[in-house]
Amino acid sequence: MLARVWSASIIGIDAVKVGVEVDVSGGLPGIVVLGLPDAAVQESRERVKATLKNAGFAFPMRKIVINLTPADLRKEGPSFDLPISVGILAASEQVRADLLGDYLFLGEVSLDGSLRPVVGVLPIAAAAKKMGITGLVVPANNAQEAAVVEGLAVYAFKNIADVANFLNNPGRYQPVELDRKVDTFKGTSAQADLKDVKGQAHARRALEIAAAGGHNLIFVGPPGSGKTMLARGLPSILPPLSFSEALEVTRIHSVAGLLKNRGTLVRDRPFRSPHHSASGPSLVGGGSYPRPGEISLAHLGVLFLDELTEFKRDVLEFLRQPLEDGLVTISRTKQSVMFPAQFTLVASTNPCACGYYGDTIQQCTCSPRQREQYWAKLSGPLMDRIDLQVAVNRLKPEEITQQPTGEASSGVRERVQQAREMALGRFQEEINLRCNAQMHSRHIYKWCKLDDASRNLLENAIRKLGLSARASDRILKVSRTIADLAGDENIKTQHVAEAIQYRTIDRMQ
């Protein structure tokens, strides 16, 4: 007898419908899997056989042919265990086959018959709704993640026996329900608070501007000046994720396998901090069948690169296209996928190899040639893409010993939220514009107009600092954000002057 079960496979962060055809017929006992299965899918033959026997089902001692369609699409991972098991039960007439076309099945099986969670359930659930599938059957630990998608009935089970009972008596089971109140999805994790930062008013102001406009930021200063602590405080002043943004982030983390035992949605803006020994593929994503890297996992959040000059130069060059386009394209011989990568880059570095160039207390031991070689690790095009370049000086002794007196993150976040709302009001007719840093040339011409005094100031800065056209556009974007924080519709001279001050590295070189 022939049975067909629906499942799905992940390509990038999207899902493709996969048909699992199971034919039980006469011949020597054995299982054959067709349709470009990977090793994990091939191994499912033995897992499924042991699972069905241990769960109390009769395993047909006949020839079983399993065909995964479309045949030219690579199938990978253990998520096909459950649909293969259901297909065998249906083909051997142990469960009803008339309802199989209404459901899509996902899940890994254990040898005792229990169901284990799999990755990529959220994008598959979203795709299933578009495909016209009315129900999704998943392991119990994937229930809340799948139920996020509205208009799709999600049924979750702990073992294969419960799935069989459901197919034979579907009216006895109710789909999983999820509370979709907005408050459910607000961030709850503890974050570094800016009130704990001592001094560094200039750097705190730069963090506020970066949060309000989504601008990339680099801190330059000697060891122990607080660069890392400042960077880790940025998520605490970013606006909370909206429900739609949380869905975007969760899809990526689901595909990457980071949602097991994490409930429903990613509720906090991501903060990723890869080590300086990270490779290019680990940052941008990769593999024979591409998976998201650190920059995609930081989507709508923060990517923090501590000790930026310790990263290999060729690795940093991978960041140039994602910083400009907000997405990363990974091409392979068999397929090409795109991952979203709209993140705020925050980096920190010392001013030289010894770390004390320009320090008022400890003398720098580097020669001019050594300092030049040190900064040569960072290419000009990469630095052009960093909007805010901020010098962080060592704290004075009296600042170190006193209690922190800075403003708490909650107060800063309110101003950031107001500035972002002001920007979103301008972007009402634009698609995929969330903040000022994402503006393109046509947006800059429209919303970053300067008066004569401001234009002359910017022209002088371009001339004296040798700025590129891209760097001057970055100054205009930062000026627009500063004006938004001040509640001004028009960019004024003081806004441009402050934006120019955040080109520390341009002045150092």
Side-chain angles (χ1 to χ4, degrees):
M1 181 177 174
L2 174 66
R4 173 178 288 171
V5 182
W6 294 116
S7 188
S9 183
I10 293 290
I11 298 180
I13 60 170
D14 298 314
V16 177
K17 192 176 183 180
V18 173
V20 180
E21 299 174 337
V22 180
D23 179 65
V24 177
S25 60
L28 293 176
I31 305 176
V32 179
V33 182
L34 308 175
L36 289 181
D38 72 345
V41 180
Q42 289 282 11
E43 291 172 354
S44 68
R45 296 176 300 177
E46 303 303 324
R47 281 197 301 272
V48 167
K49 184 177 181 179
T51 295
L52 294 181
K53 287 183 176 181
N54 292 333
F57 296 99
F59 189 84
M61 300 306 294
R62 305 173 71 184
K63 184 178 181 179
I64 301 175
V65 179
I66 300 169
N67 184 39
L68 306 177
T69 62
D72 60 346
L73 176 68
R74 179 73 170 179
K75 321 303 186 305
E76 59 177 345
S79 62
F80 293 101
D81 288 1
L82 179 58
I84 289 175
S85 300
V86 171
I88 292 175
L89 292 176
S92 58
E93 301 182 344
Q94 297 182 71
V95 299
R96 291 171 56 184
D98 56 323
L99 300 177
L100 295 182
D102 297 331
Y103 300 98
L104 190 147
F105 296 81
L106 294 170
E108 177 185 350
V109 297
S110 296
L111 299 187
D112 61 356
S114 60
L115 300 182
R116 296 174 54 82
V118 293
V119 302
V121 170
L122 179 58
I124 290 176
K129 180 182 176 182
K130 295 180 180 178
M131 296 171 191
I133 297 293
T134 58
L136 181 66
V137 178
V138 297
N141 288 343
N142 287 127
Q144 295 299 308
E145 178 186 349
V148 168
V149 178
E150 296 187 68
L152 181 69
V154 176
Y155 297 89
F157 302 100
K158 293 183 178 181
N159 55 66
I160 188 68
D162 290 340
V163 176
N165 291 334
F166 163 72
L167 292 173
N168 289 326
N169 301 283
R172 296 173 52 189
Y173 295 85
Q174 296 297 321
V176 176
E177 294 185 1
L178 177 68
D179 184 3
R180 289 184 172 83
K181 292 181 180 179
V182 176
D183 291 343
T184 304
F185 305 101
K186 290 185 178 180
T188 56
S189 66
Q191 298 172 329
D193 198 299
L194 291 184
K195 69 180 180 181
D196 299 323
V197 177
K198 298 180 179 179
Q200 307 297 4
H202 182 58
R204 289 167 57 96
R205 170 65 173 172
L207 277 177
E208 182 175 341
I209 296 171
H215 301 290
N216 302 319
L217 168 68
I218 183 172
F219 288 125
V220 183
S225 56
K227 303 186 296 294
T228 300
M229 186 175 185
L230 284 163
R232 293 189 179 278
L234 179 58
S236 69
I237 61 175
L238 289 171
L241 288 171
S242 65
F243 183 79
S244 60
E245 289 176 331
L247 279 175
E248 286 187 54
V249 175
T250 305
R251 287 180 65 188
I252 300 171
H253 285 241
S254 176
V255 170
L258 301 180
L259 285 185
K260 292 180 180 179
N261 304 321
R262 286 193 62 183
T264 55
L265 295 179
V266 175
R267 304 183 181 190
D268 301 294
R269 290 192 180 269
F271 183 91
R272 307 294 300 184
S273 181
H275 191 260
H276 59 74
S277 62
S279 64
S282 70
L283 280 182
V284 301
S288 301
Y289 299 92
R291 287 290 183 266
E294 290 291 337
I295 63 175
S296 292
L297 293 174
H299 180 60
L300 299 182
V302 178
L303 177 68
F304 177 45
L305 302 183
D306 200 7
E307 303 298 340
L308 185 66
T309 50
E310 296 300 322
F311 285 80
K312 295 180 180 179
R313 177 166 176 154
D314 61 334
V315 171
L316 294 178
E317 292 305 298
F318 281 110
L319 295 173
R320 287 166 59 175
Q321 183 241 344
L323 285 173
E324 197 70 23
D325 301 335
L327 57 85
V328 56
T329 303
I330 302 174
S331 298
R332 295 292 182 266
T333 303
K334 298 180 181 179
Q335 61 180 319
S336 178
V337 299
M338 289 191 301
F339 295 115
Q342 293 180 356
F343 59 92
T344 298
L345 174 64
V346 180
S348 69
T349 185
N350 295 331
C352 63
C354 76
Y356 295 102
Y357 178 64
D359 188 42
T360 57
I361 298 177
Q362 190 161 339
Q363 186 174 2
C364 175
T365 59
C366 299
S367 66
R369 176 61 177 167
Q370 288 175 319
R371 288 195 292 270
E372 182 180 344
Q373 291 176 338
Y374 183 80
W375 283 106
K377 299 177 183 178
L378 306 178
S379 68
L382 177 62
M383 296 310 300
D384 270 354
R385 289 170 168 81
I386 298 181
D387 307 357
L388 304 169
Q389 304 168 0
V390 184
V392 181
N393 298 319
R394 188 202 297 259
L395 292 175
K396 298 177 181 179
E398 56 271 22
E399 291 178 315
I400 296 176
T401 57
Q402 71 180 5
Q403 293 293 321
T405 58
E407 184 180 9
S409 292
S410 56
V412 181
R413 190 191 303 114
E414 291 181 5
R415 294 195 298 272
V416 168
Q417 184 71 48
Q418 292 173 359
R420 289 223 176 189
E421 290 175 355
M422 188 172 181
L424 289 174
R426 292 192 298 270
F427 302 154
Q428 287 181 355
E429 298 181 358
E430 299 292 334
I431 300 175
N432 296 328
L433 269 186
R434 289 187 171 98
C435 56
N436 291 330
Q438 297 173 1
M439 291 191 296
H440 299 295
S441 297
R442 63 185 179 88
H443 304 129
I444 295 174
Y445 295 143
K446 183 177 181 180
W447 292 311
C448 299
K449 297 178 180 179
L450 302 179
D451 56 27
D452 292 339
S454 300
R455 186 176 298 104
N456 291 334
L457 178 62
L458 180 57
E459 290 175 356
N460 289 332
I462 294 172
R463 191 177 298 111
K464 291 181 180 180
L465 299 177
L467 300 177
S468 67
R470 180 185 288 115
S472 64
D473 283 349
R474 301 281 171 173
I475 290 177
L476 288 173
K477 293 179 184 180
V478 173
S479 301
R480 178 67 268 171
T481 299
I482 295 172
D484 289 345
L485 283 169
D488 293 329
E489 291 290 339
N490 300 318
I491 297 176
K492 300 178 180 178
T493 305
Q494 62 266 31
H495 304 149
V496 178
E498 183 178 359
I500 293 172
Q501 292 301 309
Y502 297 114
R503 304 301 302 185
T504 298
I505 295 178
D506 295 324
R507 299 198 302 271
M508 290 175 59
Q509 297 177 326

